[in-house]
Amino acid sequence: FHFSAKISSEFFLWVFSAGWCQQEEVCSKSVINSCGDCIRSGPHCVWCQQLNFTKVGAQEAVRCDTRAQLIARGCPVEEIIAPENLVDIVEARPLNAVFEGRELVQMSPQRINLKMRPGLPSSFNVSFKRAEGYPVDLYYLMDLSYSMKDDLAQVKGLGRDLFRALNKITQHGQIGFGAFVDKTVLPYTNTNKEKLEKPCDQKDQQCQPAFGYTHVLSMTKSADEFGKKVSEQFISGNLDSPEGSLDAMMQAAVCGEKIGWRNSSTRLIVLTTDAGFHMAGDGKLAGILEPNDKQCHMARNIYTKSKLTDSHVQDYPSVGQLATVLEKNNIQLIFAVTKNVEAVYKELSKMIPKSEVGTLQSDSSNVVALIENAYNRLSSKVTLSHDNLPDDVRVVYTPMCTNSGPPGENEGVCDNVGVQEQISFKITVTASSCMTDKSFTIRPQGIRDTLTVMLSTTCDCQCENPSEEFHSHCNYNGSTDCGICRCREGFLGQFCECSAGVKDEQSLQQTCRRDNGTVCEGRGDCVCGRCQCHTTESGTSYHGEFCECDDDHCEKFQNKQCGGNGKCNCGKCECSDGFEGSACQCKTSQDGCRTASNTVCFGRGDCECNRCKCHGGYQPPNCLTCLGCPDQCQAKLNCIECQGFDSGPFKKNCSEACSASIRSNLVQKFSLSGKECHRKDSEGCWITFKLDQLPGKDNYYAEIYDMRGEHCPKPPSVPAIIGGSVALVALIGVAMLLLIKLLIYMNDLKEFKKFENEKKKSKWADNPLFQNATTTVANPTFTGE
């Protein structure tokens, strides 16, 4: 059976150019000297091989960009080189979910070849169908330390019950049996000769010598044989509480020929114990330094590397070693343990794929039901995973079933899968670097079926180059390779137009200077009028038309350039999907910028690194308030006046001037909280209103108190004004008269004083002519009496 399918990256790029896909594709390019460099730069980088596409003096790197950008710059679609992903299904045997004596196929396909472009994901589907009647090999591994004495007596009679339970699952079941205690060295076991022979209590006559692990019965279909072999077993003993269960499980897994594991079967190990386990490192207590080698060491069905008589006793295996061996041999574990160690084995089960834990009753009487329930849980859970994954390859599993787990990079899980129920997984593979003939294996955990994925990448271009050895595009001095001239010896330049020593050196040097500065910024050589950039100290190259760019000096976060979440391009970080920030230090999210009204920063800032970067004056954390902004009560007064009372400076163009920034309602009672504005309008009336700033920088809602008329000034009284004016004039006239009178009085007083002073200063002699006045008064009626 052979089938091939192509997943074309060109299709997705064409969808973008047609406007069907809104996600922007980006080509993060650095040093581009050829089509191959372009293809290796990123999954969305394509190359234009059209002749004369590059302008004279321009870098050939302009040929490398996204499909949409190249088409926009005039590159014909047929001239664009974009390697495709190819999925070639080499082997896909049909699913066979009923066991009829032939090999079952539960997973398909079995072999796939992937030809991929670095960075461009490629997907394919894997189908799985749980088989009915699939053979089961069950190996019963029992702890025979002295504390399990009652449990052994119960297990001796379980043979037919176990086979009866197994027959419910499949008609092709087998059971084996093994036993373990611990290494027969101090301090795990008493090495006294008598105690080695009989480590149990002296009163207990039925006690077998101390041992580490013994394989008792290979896989058999006979319940009688199982019962006979188990009945021959007796209890043994050791000193410490933990047992050598990891030793026993390791040998049961790697000694497949002795155990009798079939190639096409579900392999189960049922471990019953009431104690913990020794693991790698514990051997140091006994001076055992040799690590476990994960090999089979069985002689006469006894594990030899745990015996005192062996000179090379090995340490216990680690949990990681055991998990690797069990997965490699497709063995699933069922831990049937007592309540006191249930928590320990549940933690162990988390580290071992395809394992279950069940709780034993004190005498193991429920072991059959426990095994049956654990098997049903294991077999109904399908887990797809991989191994030997090459470096720089990423695999994502997307389960497509009723009870699916989340998509994941390590595994895909479908739970509660019924018998003969078909499910599928979408597997997406991405290779981030160039590679050839790599492979990895995908398998369902605990099941033999495998899918081998062969992987190679396309890192070079297959261009249709003209056959001419000396092409006219290259001035007959070279050939074309994907649109670029490859000059013959002795010729230089973008179009092989320069011959050594022919062009004027000074004019060529000038084209390599930016703003008349240093030639190629001191980072390259000017060759035939174009900069050929040097290599940086880190091994990358300077780039740009004048070698002005390098990719080694971008902002760092946690001592990683661009935080390890992006690429450095010409000194700036270009972040990978899902990251942002100047150093790509932040995961793309707006959760921290969301407000109670489900806006981002109230529309008054930008969400950067999940925090609001507020515009001028507004305050973090959500840009709700502005401390340095003008008083909006005064700023919005004219709009309030025209919207509420149809007056004011904006009366004639109120809608144009105010509708974009404020809307308002007249109210009898305020419902808004916050500051109350009380201002005079253009007519001298007092207006009372409240403002609520909505999301956005200049976006308000106002409630205006509808009682403006009560607060307007009353018109003046004319009689009062006239009367007042007359009274004021009269008062002023009287005041002026009094003032004049006062001035006259003051002047007279001054003159009088001056006269008095002059009079005092005068010295006059008596005038001889002067006679005093004499007045004689006679009363004619006076008689003198």
Side-chain angles (χ1 to χ4, degrees), residues 129-142:
K129 194 171 187 179
R130 184 180 167 192
E132 180 181 6
Y134 196 69
V136 175
D137 290 341
L138 188 150
Y139 191 69
Y140 197 97
L141 192 56
M142 186 170 182

Side-chain angles (χ1 to χ4, degrees), residues 524-540:
D525 300 320
C526 187
V527 179
C528 201
R530 297 183 69 211
C531 288
Q532 289 186 354
C533 302
H534 296 161
T535 302
T536 66
E537 294 179 358
S538 65
T540 61

Side-chain angles (χ1 to χ4, degrees), residues 326-346:
L326 291 173
E327 186 175 7
K328 179 181 178 181
N329 291 278
N330 299 316
I331 296 174
Q332 305 176 55
L333 272 179
I334 298 176
F335 296 110
V337 298
T338 52
K339 186 71 175 178
N340 61 307
V341 290
E342 179 185 11
V344 174
Y345 281 90
K346 282 187 175 180

Side-chain angles (χ1 to χ4, degrees), residues 542-743:
Y542 295 106
H543 58 98
E545 185 177 354
F546 302 100
C547 303
E548 71 274 13
C549 295
D550 72 84
D551 301 335
D552 297 329
H553 295 88
C554 281
E555 185 176 346
K556 292 185 177 181
F557 177 70
Q558 294 182 346
N559 205 30
K560 293 181 180 179
Q561 189 161 257
C562 300
N565 302 315
K567 292 182 179 179
C568 181
N569 187 12
C570 201
K572 292 186 178 180
C573 289
E574 295 179 351
C575 301
S576 303
D577 292 342
F579 292 91
E580 62 179 354
S582 58
C584 304
Q585 72 274 25
C586 310
K587 288 188 175 181
T588 303
S589 175
Q590 292 185 336
D591 294 342
C593 303
R594 290 280 174 190
T595 64
S597 59
N598 199 32
T599 62
V600 176
C601 305
F602 283 105
R604 299 188 279 273
D606 300 318
C607 190
E608 296 182 4
C609 284
N610 208 21
R611 292 183 178 182
C612 287
K613 185 177 181 180
C614 301
H615 297 158
Y618 288 94
Q619 301 298 305
N622 297 115
C623 311
L624 178 61
T625 59
C626 181
L627 299 182
C629 294
D631 180 16
Q632 293 302 315
C633 290
Q634 189 63 38
K636 299 300 178 185
L637 178 60
N638 291 337
C639 287
I640 291 292
E641 184 180 356
C642 77
Q643 288 183 350
F645 305 106
D646 195 25
S647 62
F650 293 158
K651 177 179 180 181
K652 294 182 179 180
N653 61 338
C654 187
S655 178
E656 296 178 4
C658 301
S659 60
S661 63
I662 187 170
R663 58 185 182 87
S664 60
N665 283 321
L666 289 172
V667 298
Q668 298 295 325
K669 184 178 181 181
F670 291 123
S671 61
L672 295 178
S673 59
K675 180 182 176 182
E676 185 177 293
C677 301
H678 195 61
R679 295 288 187 277
K680 272 188 177 183
D681 63 10
S682 60
E683 297 179 1
C685 298
W686 287 98
I687 299 179
T688 303
F689 58 95
K690 284 189 175 184
L691 289 174
D692 180 23
Q693 189 171 13
L694 304 176
K697 191 171 182 180
D698 190 20
N699 188 17
Y700 292 86
Y701 169 72
E703 287 185 349
I704 307 171
Y705 186 53
D706 190 16
M707 297 296 286
R708 178 191 185 216
E710 297 180 0
H711 302 284
C712 291
K714 295 181 180 179
S717 174
V718 175
I721 292 174
I722 295 175
S725 299
V726 172
L728 181 60
V729 169
L731 183 62
I732 292 173
V734 171
M736 290 182 66
L737 290 174
L738 291 175
L739 179 60
I740 293 171
K741 184 65 176 176
L742 177 61
L743 292 174

